[in-house]
Amino acid sequence: MPGANMKKLYYDRIFPYQKHIPKTQEYEDTLDLMNVAEGELREQMTAKEEAMFIDYRSYVERLSMLQNEECFAQGMSLGIQLMAEAFVQDVGKAE
C-alpha cells in the first residue's frame, strides 16, 4: 500500500481543491436519474427514514472518497515505477 506521502499529495495538492467530474453525457444522464429516484424515494420517507438515508449517503460518499484516494495512490505508484523503469533502461543504453 502506498505510503503517507501519496495520501498527503492527494489531499493537500489535488483533492478537494480540484474536483474531477466526468464531462460525458452518460455521467449527466446517470446523475439526473439518480436525483429523480432519490427525490421520489425521499418523498415517501418518514423523518427517521430520511435521517437514516442521509447517514447512508454520507457513508457511500466516504467510501467513494477512500476508493478514489487508493486509486490515485496506486496509479501514481505505477506511474513512478514505469518512469523509473524507463529511466533505468535509458541509462543502460547510454553506456
Side-chain angles (χ1 to χ4, degrees):
M1 177 173 175
N5 289 336
M6 289 291 183
K7 189 172 186 175
K8 182 169 176 35
L9 176 65
Y10 181 75
Y11 282 105
D12 289 349
R13 302 288 187 249
I14 293 176
F15 191 83
Y17 305 110
Q18 299 171 1
K19 305 272 184 180
H20 299 286
I21 297 173
K23 306 242 187 293
T24 65
Q25 190 60 48
E26 180 182 14
Y27 177 85
E28 294 296 323
D29 292 345
T30 304
L31 182 60
D32 290 343
L33 288 171
M34 186 194 76
N35 287 331
V36 168
E38 183 178 315
E40 291 173 356
L41 182 62
R42 290 176 89 167
E43 286 175 2
Q44 300 185 26
M45 291 179 169
T46 65
K48 183 177 179 181
E49 290 170 336
E50 188 171 5
M52 289 171 56
F53 180 73
I54 290 169
D55 287 345
Y56 171 78
R57 289 267 331 257
S58 70
Y59 300 143
V60 169
E61 289 172 8
R62 180 69 183 141
L63 280 175
S64 179
M65 286 179 56
L66 291 170
Q67 290 169 338
N68 288 338
E69 174 190 323
E70 186 64 22
C71 287
F72 172 82
Q74 292 293 329
M76 286 293 293
S77 179
L78 177 61
I80 291 167
Q81 289 173 10
L82 290 172
M83 293 300 291
E85 184 177 313
F87 179 74
V88 168
Q89 287 178 354
D90 285 346
V91 169
K93 289 179 184 177
E95 292 177 5

